[in-house]
mmCIF file of all heavy atoms in Angstrom:
data_model
loop_
_atom_site.group_PDB
_atom_site.id
_atom_site.type_symbol
_atom_site.label_atom_id
_atom_site.label_comp_id
_atom_site.label_asym_id
_atom_site.label_seq_id
_atom_site.Cartn_x
_atom_site.Cartn_y
_atom_site.Cartn_z
ATOM 1 N N THR A 1 48.886 127.741 -185.066
ATOM 2 C CA THR A 1 48.523 128.328 -186.313
ATOM 3 C C THR A 1 47.027 128.224 -186.598
ATOM 4 O O THR A 1 46.450 129.043 -187.241
ATOM 5 C CB THR A 1 49.252 127.575 -187.481
ATOM 6 O OG1 THR A 1 48.985 126.164 -187.406
ATOM 7 C CG2 THR A 1 50.747 127.809 -187.368
ATOM 8 N N ASN A 2 46.397 127.153 -186.104
ATOM 9 C CA ASN A 2 44.954 127.022 -186.269
ATOM 10 C C ASN A 2 44.359 126.495 -184.955
ATOM 11 O O ASN A 2 45.084 126.117 -184.031
ATOM 12 C CB ASN A 2 44.636 126.069 -187.414
ATOM 13 C CG ASN A 2 45.311 124.721 -187.280
ATOM 14 O OD1 ASN A 2 45.978 124.490 -186.267
ATOM 15 N ND2 ASN A 2 45.116 123.868 -188.228
ATOM 16 N N ASN A 3 43.048 126.442 -184.900
ATOM 17 C CA ASN A 3 42.334 125.931 -183.735
ATOM 18 C C ASN A 3 42.673 126.721 -182.468
ATOM 19 O O ASN A 3 43.183 126.137 -181.481
ATOM 20 C CB ASN A 3 42.644 124.429 -183.592
ATOM 21 C CG ASN A 3 41.452 123.647 -183.185
ATOM 22 O OD1 ASN A 3 40.347 124.239 -183.024
ATOM 23 N ND2 ASN A 3 41.600 122.368 -183.006
ATOM 24 N N LEU A 4 42.375 127.979 -182.487
ATOM 25 C CA LEU A 4 42.690 128.833 -181.334
ATOM 26 C C LEU A 4 41.837 128.506 -180.126
ATOM 27 O O LEU A 4 42.255 128.846 -178.993
ATOM 28 C CB LEU A 4 42.492 130.284 -181.733
ATOM 29 C CG LEU A 4 43.591 130.834 -182.652
ATOM 30 C CD1 LEU A 4 43.272 132.284 -183.005
ATOM 31 C CD2 LEU A 4 44.926 130.750 -182.021
ATOM 32 N N ASP A 5 40.671 127.862 -180.291
ATOM 33 C CA ASP A 5 39.878 127.551 -179.127
ATOM 34 C C ASP A 5 40.547 126.513 -178.237
ATOM 35 O O ASP A 5 40.503 126.569 -177.020
ATOM 36 C CB ASP A 5 38.465 127.101 -179.543
ATOM 37 C CG ASP A 5 38.479 125.948 -180.497
ATOM 38 O OD1 ASP A 5 39.545 125.656 -181.123
ATOM 39 O OD2 ASP A 5 37.419 125.291 -180.656
ATOM 40 N N LYS A 6 41.254 125.536 -178.879
ATOM 41 C CA LYS A 6 42.006 124.587 -178.064
ATOM 42 C C LYS A 6 43.218 125.230 -177.387
ATOM 43 O O LYS A 6 43.569 124.907 -176.259
ATOM 44 C CB LYS A 6 42.447 123.420 -178.935
ATOM 45 C CG LYS A 6 41.324 122.506 -179.356
ATOM 46 C CD LYS A 6 41.813 121.343 -180.111
ATOM 47 C CE LYS A 6 40.622 120.460 -180.532
ATOM 48 N NZ LYS A 6 41.093 119.337 -181.361
ATOM 49 N N ALA A 7 43.836 126.150 -178.074
ATOM 50 C CA ALA A 7 44.955 126.898 -177.483
ATOM 51 C C ALA A 7 44.497 127.743 -176.313
ATOM 52 O O ALA A 7 45.194 127.796 -175.292
ATOM 53 C CB ALA A 7 45.635 127.744 -178.545
ATOM 54 N N ALA A 8 43.345 128.386 -176.434
ATOM 55 C CA ALA A 8 42.833 129.186 -175.340
ATOM 56 C C ALA A 8 42.489 128.332 -174.132
ATOM 57 O O ALA A 8 42.744 128.699 -172.983
ATOM 58 C CB ALA A 8 41.617 130.007 -175.797
ATOM 59 N N PHE A 9 41.938 127.169 -174.371
ATOM 60 C CA PHE A 9 41.620 126.262 -173.289
ATOM 61 C C PHE A 9 42.895 125.758 -172.603
ATOM 62 O O PHE A 9 42.967 125.659 -171.381
ATOM 63 C CB PHE A 9 40.798 125.070 -173.795
ATOM 64 C CG PHE A 9 40.337 124.146 -172.713
ATOM 65 C CD1 PHE A 9 39.426 124.546 -171.766
ATOM 66 C CD2 PHE A 9 40.835 122.851 -172.677
ATOM 67 C CE1 PHE A 9 39.021 123.685 -170.777
ATOM 68 C CE2 PHE A 9 40.431 121.997 -171.672
ATOM 69 C CZ PHE A 9 39.525 122.385 -170.721
ATOM 70 N N ALA A 10 43.915 125.443 -173.421
ATOM 71 C CA ALA A 10 45.190 125.024 -172.867
ATOM 72 C C ALA A 10 45.828 126.141 -172.021
ATOM 73 O O ALA A 10 46.396 125.890 -170.964
ATOM 74 C CB ALA A 10 46.128 124.565 -173.969
ATOM 75 N N ILE A 11 45.718 127.366 -172.498
ATOM 76 C CA ILE A 11 46.285 128.519 -171.741
ATOM 77 C C ILE A 11 45.551 128.665 -170.414
ATOM 78 O O ILE A 11 46.164 128.910 -169.376
ATOM 79 C CB ILE A 11 46.206 129.790 -172.573
ATOM 80 C CG1 ILE A 11 47.215 129.716 -173.715
ATOM 81 C CG2 ILE A 11 46.452 131.009 -171.724
ATOM 82 C CD1 ILE A 11 47.089 130.843 -174.719
ATOM 83 N N MET A 12 44.233 128.526 -170.398
ATOM 84 C CA MET A 12 43.497 128.662 -169.175
ATOM 85 C C MET A 12 43.878 127.569 -168.173
ATOM 86 O O MET A 12 44.065 127.833 -166.995
ATOM 87 C CB MET A 12 41.975 128.549 -169.438
ATOM 88 C CG MET A 12 41.411 129.825 -170.004
ATOM 89 S SD MET A 12 39.617 129.707 -170.343
ATOM 90 C CE MET A 12 39.001 129.382 -168.751
ATOM 91 N N LEU A 13 44.039 126.326 -168.656
ATOM 92 C CA LEU A 13 44.447 125.242 -167.758
ATOM 93 C C LEU A 13 45.871 125.426 -167.229
ATOM 94 O O LEU A 13 46.127 125.234 -166.033
ATOM 95 C CB LEU A 13 44.376 123.884 -168.498
ATOM 96 C CG LEU A 13 42.991 123.366 -168.795
ATOM 97 C CD1 LEU A 13 43.079 122.066 -169.575
ATOM 98 C CD2 LEU A 13 42.221 123.147 -167.483
ATOM 99 N N ILE A 14 46.759 125.867 -168.078
ATOM 100 C CA ILE A 14 48.139 126.076 -167.668
ATOM 101 C C ILE A 14 48.229 127.200 -166.632
ATOM 102 O O ILE A 14 48.902 127.101 -165.603
ATOM 103 C CB ILE A 14 49.039 126.364 -168.868
ATOM 104 C CG1 ILE A 14 49.245 125.093 -169.666
ATOM 105 C CG2 ILE A 14 50.397 126.924 -168.468
ATOM 106 C CD1 ILE A 14 49.891 125.284 -171.032
ATOM 107 N N LEU A 15 47.523 128.316 -166.874
ATOM 108 C CA LEU A 15 47.558 129.460 -165.960
ATOM 109 C C LEU A 15 46.909 129.070 -164.613
ATOM 110 O O LEU A 15 47.381 129.504 -163.556
ATOM 111 C CB LEU A 15 46.882 130.673 -166.563
ATOM 112 C CG LEU A 15 47.660 131.362 -167.683
ATOM 113 C CD1 LEU A 15 46.856 132.529 -168.221
ATOM 114 C CD2 LEU A 15 49.000 131.808 -167.217
ATOM 115 N N ALA A 16 45.843 128.306 -164.648
ATOM 116 C CA ALA A 16 45.215 127.897 -163.412
ATOM 117 C C ALA A 16 46.139 126.996 -162.602
ATOM 118 O O ALA A 16 46.297 127.195 -161.385
ATOM 119 C CB ALA A 16 43.899 127.136 -163.690
ATOM 120 N N PHE A 17 46.795 126.050 -163.250
ATOM 121 C CA PHE A 17 47.746 125.184 -162.558
ATOM 122 C C PHE A 17 48.892 125.986 -161.989
ATOM 123 O O PHE A 17 49.339 125.798 -160.856
ATOM 124 C CB PHE A 17 48.232 124.077 -163.476
ATOM 125 C CG PHE A 17 49.336 123.276 -162.874
ATOM 126 C CD1 PHE A 17 49.095 122.346 -161.870
ATOM 127 C CD2 PHE A 17 50.639 123.447 -163.286
ATOM 128 C CE1 PHE A 17 50.104 121.624 -161.301
ATOM 129 C CE2 PHE A 17 51.678 122.719 -162.726
ATOM 130 C CZ PHE A 17 51.411 121.800 -161.744
ATOM 131 N N LEU A 18 49.478 126.870 -162.820
ATOM 132 C CA LEU A 18 50.649 127.635 -162.384
ATOM 133 C C LEU A 18 50.309 128.559 -161.207
ATOM 134 O O LEU A 18 51.115 128.673 -160.296
ATOM 135 C CB LEU A 18 51.214 128.449 -163.554
ATOM 136 C CG LEU A 18 52.031 127.650 -164.563
ATOM 137 C CD1 LEU A 18 52.453 128.571 -165.701
ATOM 138 C CD2 LEU A 18 53.244 127.064 -163.918
ATOM 139 N N SER A 19 49.156 129.188 -161.243
ATOM 140 C CA SER A 19 48.800 130.104 -160.149
ATOM 141 C C SER A 19 48.690 129.338 -158.843
ATOM 142 O O SER A 19 49.148 129.790 -157.806
ATOM 143 C CB SER A 19 47.542 130.870 -160.465
ATOM 144 O OG SER A 19 46.434 130.011 -160.486
ATOM 145 N N PHE A 20 48.066 128.161 -158.894
ATOM 146 C CA PHE A 20 47.897 127.366 -157.687
ATOM 147 C C PHE A 20 49.220 126.808 -157.222
ATOM 148 O O PHE A 20 49.596 126.920 -156.056
ATOM 149 C CB PHE A 20 46.915 126.238 -157.936
ATOM 150 C CG PHE A 20 46.658 125.368 -156.758
ATOM 151 C CD1 PHE A 20 45.833 125.813 -155.747
ATOM 152 C CD2 PHE A 20 47.287 124.137 -156.632
ATOM 153 C CE1 PHE A 20 45.614 125.019 -154.614
ATOM 154 C CE2 PHE A 20 47.058 123.324 -155.538
ATOM 155 C CZ PHE A 20 46.216 123.776 -154.512
ATOM 156 N N ALA A 21 49.991 126.235 -158.142
ATOM 157 C CA ALA A 21 51.247 125.587 -157.795
ATOM 158 C C ALA A 21 52.309 126.558 -157.279
ATOM 159 O O ALA A 21 52.988 126.319 -156.301
ATOM 160 C CB ALA A 21 51.761 124.774 -158.960
ATOM 161 N N LEU A 22 52.397 127.705 -157.965
ATOM 162 C CA LEU A 22 53.452 128.648 -157.549
ATOM 163 C C LEU A 22 53.105 129.250 -156.184
ATOM 164 O O LEU A 22 54.019 129.460 -155.367
ATOM 165 C CB LEU A 22 53.589 129.750 -158.610
ATOM 166 C CG LEU A 22 54.290 129.350 -159.900
ATOM 167 C CD1 LEU A 22 54.217 130.466 -160.898
ATOM 168 C CD2 LEU A 22 55.706 128.926 -159.638
ATOM 169 N N ASN A 23 51.848 129.592 -155.957
ATOM 170 C CA ASN A 23 51.479 130.127 -154.649
ATOM 171 C C ASN A 23 51.660 129.116 -153.539
ATOM 172 O O ASN A 23 52.095 129.462 -152.444
ATOM 173 C CB ASN A 23 50.052 130.653 -154.688
ATOM 174 C CG ASN A 23 49.963 132.008 -155.334
ATOM 175 O OD1 ASN A 23 50.344 132.979 -154.706
ATOM 176 N ND2 ASN A 23 49.547 132.074 -156.553
ATOM 177 N N LEU A 24 51.314 127.877 -153.819
ATOM 178 C CA LEU A 24 51.522 126.827 -152.818
ATOM 179 C C LEU A 24 52.999 126.646 -152.519
ATOM 180 O O LEU A 24 53.399 126.568 -151.372
ATOM 181 C CB LEU A 24 50.913 125.520 -153.345
ATOM 182 C CG LEU A 24 50.924 124.328 -152.409
ATOM 183 C CD1 LEU A 24 50.032 124.602 -151.194
ATOM 184 C CD2 LEU A 24 50.431 123.108 -153.120
ATOM 185 N N PHE A 25 53.820 126.636 -153.544
ATOM 186 C CA PHE A 25 55.262 126.452 -153.377
ATOM 187 C C PHE A 25 55.879 127.630 -152.595
ATOM 188 O O PHE A 25 56.616 127.408 -151.637
ATOM 189 C CB PHE A 25 55.939 126.317 -154.729
ATOM 190 C CG PHE A 25 57.436 126.280 -154.645
ATOM 191 C CD1 PHE A 25 58.074 125.144 -154.196
ATOM 192 C CD2 PHE A 25 58.198 127.362 -155.034
ATOM 193 C CE1 PHE A 25 59.461 125.116 -154.103
ATOM 194 C CE2 PHE A 25 59.571 127.317 -154.960
ATOM 195 C CZ PHE A 25 60.210 126.207 -154.494
ATOM 196 N N PHE A 26 55.569 128.858 -152.989
ATOM 197 C CA PHE A 26 56.152 130.001 -152.326
ATOM 198 C C PHE A 26 55.684 130.128 -150.883
ATOM 199 O O PHE A 26 56.419 130.522 -150.011
ATOM 200 C CB PHE A 26 55.880 131.310 -153.103
ATOM 201 C CG PHE A 26 56.675 131.481 -154.350
ATOM 202 C CD1 PHE A 26 56.072 131.838 -155.521
ATOM 203 C CD2 PHE A 26 58.020 131.213 -154.362
ATOM 204 C CE1 PHE A 26 56.798 132.005 -156.669
ATOM 205 C CE2 PHE A 26 58.763 131.340 -155.502
ATOM 206 C CZ PHE A 26 58.131 131.751 -156.665
ATOM 207 N N THR A 27 54.403 129.798 -150.644
ATOM 208 C CA THR A 27 53.931 129.866 -149.257
ATOM 209 C C THR A 27 54.630 128.825 -148.404
ATOM 210 O O THR A 27 54.969 129.067 -147.242
ATOM 211 C CB THR A 27 52.403 129.653 -149.234
ATOM 212 O OG1 THR A 27 51.798 130.659 -150.057
ATOM 213 C CG2 THR A 27 51.873 129.797 -147.855
ATOM 214 N N TYR A 28 54.793 127.648 -148.950
ATOM 215 C CA TYR A 28 55.472 126.596 -148.180
ATOM 216 C C TYR A 28 56.945 126.928 -147.920
ATOM 217 O O TYR A 28 57.456 126.726 -146.808
ATOM 218 C CB TYR A 28 55.382 125.244 -148.907
ATOM 219 C CG TYR A 28 56.004 124.111 -148.183
ATOM 220 C CD1 TYR A 28 55.397 123.605 -147.036
ATOM 221 C CD2 TYR A 28 57.222 123.622 -148.576
ATOM 222 C CE1 TYR A 28 55.975 122.582 -146.326
ATOM 223 C CE2 TYR A 28 57.818 122.564 -147.871
ATOM 224 C CZ TYR A 28 57.188 122.058 -146.731
ATOM 225 O OH TYR A 28 57.798 121.075 -146.017
ATOM 226 N N ARG A 29 57.648 127.470 -148.934
ATOM 227 C CA ARG A 29 59.058 127.771 -148.783
ATOM 228 C C ARG A 29 59.320 129.002 -147.990
ATOM 229 O O ARG A 29 60.270 129.077 -147.208
ATOM 230 C CB ARG A 29 59.715 127.865 -150.169
ATOM 231 C CG ARG A 29 59.730 126.604 -150.949
ATOM 232 C CD ARG A 29 60.605 125.577 -150.387
ATOM 233 N NE ARG A 29 61.976 126.070 -150.420
ATOM 234 C CZ ARG A 29 63.008 125.485 -149.838
ATOM 235 N NH1 ARG A 29 62.814 124.386 -149.188
ATOM 236 N NH2 ARG A 29 64.191 126.000 -149.927
ATOM 237 N N LEU A 30 58.534 130.084 -148.203
ATOM 238 C CA LEU A 30 58.852 131.338 -147.594
ATOM 239 C C LEU A 30 58.027 131.662 -146.347
ATOM 240 O O LEU A 30 58.272 132.653 -145.673
ATOM 241 C CB LEU A 30 58.671 132.505 -148.612
ATOM 242 C CG LEU A 30 59.541 132.391 -149.859
ATOM 243 C CD1 LEU A 30 59.200 133.507 -150.833
ATOM 244 C CD2 LEU A 30 61.014 132.449 -149.493
ATOM 245 N N GLY A 31 57.046 130.867 -146.072
ATOM 246 C CA GLY A 31 56.219 131.095 -144.890
ATOM 247 C C GLY A 31 54.933 131.815 -145.218
ATOM 248 O O GLY A 31 54.615 132.101 -146.356
ATOM 249 N N LYS A 32 54.179 132.105 -144.201
ATOM 250 C CA LYS A 32 52.865 132.715 -144.349
ATOM 251 C C LYS A 32 53.030 134.203 -144.581
ATOM 252 O O LYS A 32 53.018 134.998 -143.665
ATOM 253 C CB LYS A 32 52.026 132.466 -143.118
ATOM 254 C CG LYS A 32 51.790 130.996 -142.842
ATOM 255 C CD LYS A 32 51.016 130.840 -141.546
ATOM 256 C CE LYS A 32 50.954 129.363 -141.137
ATOM 257 N NZ LYS A 32 50.323 129.199 -139.860
ATOM 258 N N GLU A 33 53.142 134.573 -145.844
ATOM 259 C CA GLU A 33 53.256 135.980 -146.211
ATOM 260 C C GLU A 33 52.114 136.336 -147.137
ATOM 261 O O GLU A 33 51.981 135.776 -148.241
ATOM 262 C CB GLU A 33 54.584 136.255 -146.948
ATOM 263 C CG GLU A 33 55.808 135.993 -146.125
ATOM 264 C CD GLU A 33 56.032 137.021 -145.040
ATOM 265 O OE1 GLU A 33 55.559 138.148 -145.169
ATOM 266 O OE2 GLU A 33 56.713 136.684 -144.071
ATOM 267 N N ILE A 34 51.226 137.213 -146.711
ATOM 268 C CA ILE A 34 50.038 137.503 -147.491
ATOM 269 C C ILE A 34 50.363 138.266 -148.817
ATOM 270 O O ILE A 34 49.513 138.352 -149.690
ATOM 271 C CB ILE A 34 49.016 138.290 -146.633
ATOM 272 C CG1 ILE A 34 47.615 138.328 -147.266
ATOM 273 C CG2 ILE A 34 49.499 139.714 -146.370
ATOM 274 C CD1 ILE A 34 46.966 137.003 -147.335
ATOM 275 N N GLN A 35 51.565 138.728 -148.935
ATOM 276 C CA GLN A 35 51.971 139.427 -150.155
ATOM 277 C C GLN A 35 52.023 138.461 -151.353
ATOM 278 O O GLN A 35 51.936 138.894 -152.474
ATOM 279 C CB GLN A 35 53.356 140.080 -150.039
ATOM 280 C CG GLN A 35 53.428 141.162 -148.990
ATOM 281 C CD GLN A 35 54.035 140.634 -147.720
ATOM 282 O OE1 GLN A 35 54.006 139.469 -147.431
ATOM 283 N NE2 GLN A 35 54.569 141.558 -146.912
ATOM 284 N N ILE A 36 52.153 137.179 -151.082
ATOM 285 C CA ILE A 36 52.349 136.207 -152.188
ATOM 286 C C ILE A 36 51.141 136.163 -153.109
ATOM 287 O O ILE A 36 51.270 136.349 -154.310
ATOM 288 C CB ILE A 36 52.716 134.845 -151.611
ATOM 289 C CG1 ILE A 36 54.057 134.884 -150.905
ATOM 290 C CG2 ILE A 36 52.724 133.781 -152.714
ATOM 291 C CD1 ILE A 36 54.400 133.656 -150.099
ATOM 292 N N PRO A 37 49.913 135.924 -152.635
ATOM 293 C CA PRO A 37 48.769 135.884 -153.551
ATOM 294 C C PRO A 37 48.450 137.270 -154.178
ATOM 295 O O PRO A 37 47.975 137.341 -155.303
ATOM 296 C CB PRO A 37 47.594 135.355 -152.728
ATOM 297 C CG PRO A 37 47.967 135.575 -151.323
ATOM 298 C CD PRO A 37 49.474 135.566 -151.269
ATOM 299 N N PHE A 38 48.676 138.332 -153.427
ATOM 300 C CA PHE A 38 48.429 139.657 -154.000
ATOM 301 C C PHE A 38 49.431 139.989 -155.115
ATOM 302 O O PHE A 38 49.060 140.576 -156.124
ATOM 303 C CB PHE A 38 48.479 140.728 -152.893
ATOM 304 C CG PHE A 38 47.271 140.749 -152.037
ATOM 305 C CD1 PHE A 38 47.384 140.543 -150.693
ATOM 306 C CD2 PHE A 38 46.023 141.005 -152.572
ATOM 307 C CE1 PHE A 38 46.250 140.538 -149.864
ATOM 308 C CE2 PHE A 38 44.904 140.997 -151.771
ATOM 309 C CZ PHE A 38 45.014 140.759 -150.432
ATOM 310 N N LEU A 39 50.692 139.569 -154.913
ATOM 311 C CA LEU A 39 51.666 139.765 -156.004
ATOM 312 C C LEU A 39 51.291 138.941 -157.239
ATOM 313 O O LEU A 39 51.447 139.408 -158.365
ATOM 314 C CB LEU A 39 53.044 139.372 -155.489
ATOM 315 C CG LEU A 39 54.229 139.596 -156.422
ATOM 316 C CD1 LEU A 39 54.372 141.089 -156.731
ATOM 317 C CD2 LEU A 39 55.499 139.031 -155.857
ATOM 318 N N SER A 40 50.783 137.746 -156.985
ATOM 319 C CA SER A 40 50.351 136.904 -158.109
ATOM 320 C C SER A 40 49.193 137.552 -158.848
ATOM 321 O O SER A 40 49.174 137.576 -160.097
ATOM 322 C CB SER A 40 49.910 135.540 -157.572
ATOM 323 O OG SER A 40 49.351 134.766 -158.551
ATOM 324 N N ALA A 41 48.232 138.105 -158.134
ATOM 325 C CA ALA A 41 47.102 138.773 -158.800
ATOM 326 C C ALA A 41 47.536 140.048 -159.528
ATOM 327 O O ALA A 41 47.022 140.327 -160.638
ATOM 328 C CB ALA A 41 46.020 139.085 -157.765
ATOM 329 N N MET A 42 48.473 140.767 -158.952
ATOM 330 C CA MET A 42 48.953 141.981 -159.618
ATOM 331 C C MET A 42 49.698 141.641 -160.936
ATOM 332 O O MET A 42 49.578 142.337 -161.926
ATOM 333 C CB MET A 42 49.888 142.785 -158.688
ATOM 334 C CG MET A 42 49.158 143.513 -157.630
ATOM 335 S SD MET A 42 50.162 144.661 -156.659
ATOM 336 C CE MET A 42 51.723 143.880 -156.518
ATOM 337 N N CYS A 43 50.477 140.576 -160.908
ATOM 338 C CA CYS A 43 51.201 140.180 -162.119
ATOM 339 C C CYS A 43 50.230 139.644 -163.197
ATOM 340 O O CYS A 43 50.468 139.899 -164.387
ATOM 341 C CB CYS A 43 52.227 139.092 -161.815
ATOM 342 S SG CYS A 43 53.588 139.714 -160.859
ATOM 343 N N SER A 44 49.145 139.020 -162.770
ATOM 344 C CA SER A 44 48.201 138.557 -163.782
ATOM 345 C C SER A 44 47.342 139.682 -164.339
ATOM 346 O O SER A 44 46.730 139.514 -165.392
ATOM 347 C CB SER A 44 47.281 137.458 -163.183
ATOM 348 O OG SER A 44 46.437 138.027 -162.167
ATOM 349 N N ALA A 45 47.349 140.801 -163.679
ATOM 350 C CA ALA A 45 46.626 141.980 -164.247
ATOM 351 C C ALA A 45 47.291 142.473 -165.525
ATOM 352 O O ALA A 45 46.636 143.129 -166.342
ATOM 353 C CB ALA A 45 46.584 143.103 -163.199
ATOM 354 N N GLY A 46 48.522 142.124 -165.740
ATOM 355 C CA GLY A 46 49.180 142.463 -166.973
ATOM 356 C C GLY A 46 48.595 141.778 -168.189
ATOM 357 O O GLY A 46 48.789 142.217 -169.342
ATOM 358 N N LEU A 47 47.796 140.742 -167.954
ATOM 359 C CA LEU A 47 47.141 140.062 -169.054
ATOM 360 C C LEU A 47 46.087 140.956 -169.716
ATOM 361 O O LEU A 47 45.783 140.774 -170.885
ATOM 362 C CB LEU A 47 46.478 138.750 -168.563
ATOM 363 C CG LEU A 47 47.410 137.646 -168.150
ATOM 364 C CD1 LEU A 47 46.612 136.548 -167.453
ATOM 365 C CD2 LEU A 47 48.158 137.103 -169.304
#
């Protein structure tokens, strides 16, 4: 409801962690597929 600068900072931290963690997890589980980071970047373009 207030203090949007702290919310924006929290969103940046959460998105940075999720992008790293999800790509690391999917690469480890599914193997070396270059589509993984490109799919991640394409989905973040919706922002």
Side-chain angles (χ1 to χ4, degrees):
T1 56
N2 55 2
N3 220 0
L4 287 178
D5 55 343
K6 288 184 182 178
F9 184 67
I11 289 171
M12 284 179 61
L13 288 177
I14 289 170
L15 289 178
F17 172 74
L18 283 175
S19 67
F20 181 77
L22 288 174
N23 280 285
L24 184 65
F25 175 74
F26 286 134
T27 302
Y28 181 74
R29 294 293 295 171
L30 299 176
K32 300 176 188 176
E33 299 287 336
I34 195 66
Q35 297 99 338
I36 296 171
F38 284 119
L39 184 64
S40 173
M42 286 189 323
C43 290
S44 67
L47 292 171

